[in-house]
Amino acid sequence: MQYIKLREQLKNFKIFNLSDIRKIEADFDLRRLNEWQKKNYIKKIRQGFYIFSELEINEQTLFIIANRIHEPSYISLEMALSLYGLIPEAVYSITSVTTQKTKTFQTSVADFIYRHVRPELLFGYELREYDGQHYKMAEMEKAVLDYLHFNSKIDNIESFAGLRFNVAEFKEKANTEKFNRYLLAFNSKALTKRVGKFLTYIQNA
């Protein structure tokens, strides 16, 4: 296969893998991938996944890549909290939740961090569109619960205050009914207790 043919056939792909290529050419020669990397036509993101070198890298592109290289997954935790304006710190790693193993991929475009959850907790996200592609992003309520689920030491006024959590933004935009419904789905007494303390902190802040 000529590179020009691949580029044309996959022109709408932000990221692609060998399976995508073999839908175009079933007997594709794997040596081409090394050749194209040496010529800087493509870049490897992780084993079996590639992007075109001229791809414009922005947050939305990184979210699409994150969803694809470790499926099923959705953007959550610190990255989602930052996007919702709930924490002030800039977040440089793309943080996700997955039913696969906890994993970190350090790549030339970003670091992708995944935390494992039980399959029944893979919910509470929405599909967002960017440039004809879609990615999964945690809803505000689920992002907060995911974060508290994985950070069990955040369980008192001092640690809540240390987050510099945007209380006003949460009060204005979070859906309380949805938040409580999602909390029940975790079926965790420990998390329920911590969330109770968190909500008390929110109300008194």
Side-chain angles (χ1 to χ4, degrees), residues 72-91:
S73 64
Y74 62 88
I75 308 300
S76 188
L77 305 169
E78 291 89 348
M79 176 55 71
L81 295 180
S82 177
L83 289 171
Y84 285 121
L86 295 178
I87 57 174
E89 289 79 9
V91 177

Side-chain angles (χ1 to χ4, degrees), residues 86-89 147-148 154 158-165 198:
L86 295 178
I87 57 174
E89 289 79 9
Y147 184 81
L148 293 174
I154 298 177
E158 290 74 21
S159 55
F160 295 142
L163 288 176
R164 294 191 292 163
F165 194 82
F198 172 74

Side-chain angles (χ1 to χ4, degrees), residues 84-86 140 165-174 202 205:
Y84 285 121
L86 295 178
M140 175 185 284
F165 194 82
N166 190 333
V167 172
E169 188 75 5
F170 183 79
K171 283 182 175 179
E172 179 184 348
K173 296 184 178 178
I202 291 293

Side-chain angles (χ1 to χ4, degrees), residues 112-140:
F112 299 92
I113 299 172
Y114 300 83
R115 300 293 298 271
H116 168 79
V117 293
R118 306 187 308 273
E120 59 268 29
L121 295 181
L122 200 77
F123 70 91
Y125 55 82
E126 58 189 16
L127 275 180
R128 298 188 179 184
E129 183 177 357
Y130 172 72
D131 198 21
Q133 307 288 304
H134 291 85
Y135 61 90
K136 302 183 186 77
M137 171 67 65
E139 297 172 289
M140 175 185 284

Side-chain angles (χ1 to χ4, degrees), residues 75 92 109 125 157:
I75 308 300
Y92 299 103
V109 295
Y125 55 82
I157 291 175

